[in-house]
Each structure stands twice: as C-alpha cells, then as structure tokens.
Amino acid sequence: MQAYKRNKLGIDLKIDNYKDSECYKVELAKEEYVHLLDEIKQLKRKIDELNSEIREQNIDNDKEYKKLVMQQKNDSCVDRGVSKKSSGYFFLDAIEWREKISKNEKVVTWKYVVQTPFLATYPRRTVEDTVLDMLEGKILPECGCKHFVEDDAISDFSRLTFSGHLRDEYRKSPYVYDWKMRANFVRGYWEIELFITREIEIPNKYQLHYCQKKRSDELKKPNEGQ
C-alpha cells in the first residue's frame, strides 16, 4: 500500500502511515482492494436487509393502526346510533363567524364543528393526521370545499382580504383558512373546528340527526313485518 501527501511546494510525497497523515490518495494492493470491495458488498447487503425489516415493520404497524381506526369508527357509530357504514364524521354546528381584520373591521366567514369517531381520551397526536387526511381527501370535497389555504392554517387572516373584503378567489370558492382540534369530554369525542371563507352544503350522510333517524327506521322495519 502506498499513500501520498502533497507538500506546500506541490510535490507529492510517499508516506508509510496513511492513517495518521492527511493524505489525499491511497494506492491499494490488488488483494487489499478485492477485500475492501467484499466488505462494502457485505455492508450494503446488511443495510438492504435492515431497510427491508424496517419497511415490513412499518407496513405491519400501519395495518394494525388502520384496524384500530376502523374498530374505533365502528364502535363510535354504534355508540351514536348510526350505521357502521357511516364515516363516523358528523357536522354538529354551522356558525356565521366574524373574523377581525383590523381594529374596526370584520369579515363574515363560517365556523363548522365536526365530530370525529375518536374518543376524547385519545392523545391528540394519535388522531390528528387521520382526521385531517379524511377531511381534506374525502369529506370536504364532497361538501364542495376543495381547498385548504397553503400550510393548512394561517396566522394572519389579512392575507385573504383586500380593502376590507375577502379576495375574489376566497369569496367565490370555500377555503379552509384555519382549523383547531379540541377534545369534547361532554360529548366524548375529538372535534375539529373548521374556519371556512364561505358557507358550504353538508350532505345528509354527514349530519348526525339524519343518520340516527335513518338507522332507527332501518331497525324498525324487521319488527313491522312480524
């Protein structure tokens, strides 16, 4: 093995102990080079095996988590007297909101309260991502609200306004411009408050009273036939 170190005059000097020197090039004997390649291959193989194990664990954990989510959804539907086929998400309130944009100016928006299928005793970190994915990917688009403002929520509402009014894009189409999670221990479930730039239409399947009545009518039918 030969190692080289370049001195201040730019001359390459051969050195013996390359480990203790700031060498810029090391020449290996063929046997050492082959041995080094074998070690690299073995290391890559171990890394690939470790990555495979991690992926399998993540898949298993993801499957287990999805099972728990589905079980919780089914249980909560039974508890609230609706079909297990329901989403488990229900709009409880639609409130006309006054969003302050300056000391003397407010803009009319809407606040919606959505009850999730997750018990209020669950830690927030275990439910938040699932709730947001469900809302953004399925529920809100079905309510005609296809947009989350960039970064999901904004700290400065004035970004959405111009001359004391909502900008056209936010006035013509409903945007979620802010949201807040809260655990409602009276009702027993996690809820999310959605602040939306304009009113949206809520399908019957996301209205709790409608789904409860529908389930009650379904249960009565077998008895009526006896």
Side-chain angles (χ1 to χ4, degrees), residues 6-24:
R6 183 163 293 173
N7 65 15
K8 293 181 181 180
L9 299 176
I11 300 174
D12 294 338
L13 304 176
K14 289 184 179 180
I15 55 177
D16 295 326
N17 192 351
Y18 74 94
K19 292 182 179 180
D20 297 331
S21 306
E22 296 178 357
C23 59
Y24 76 94

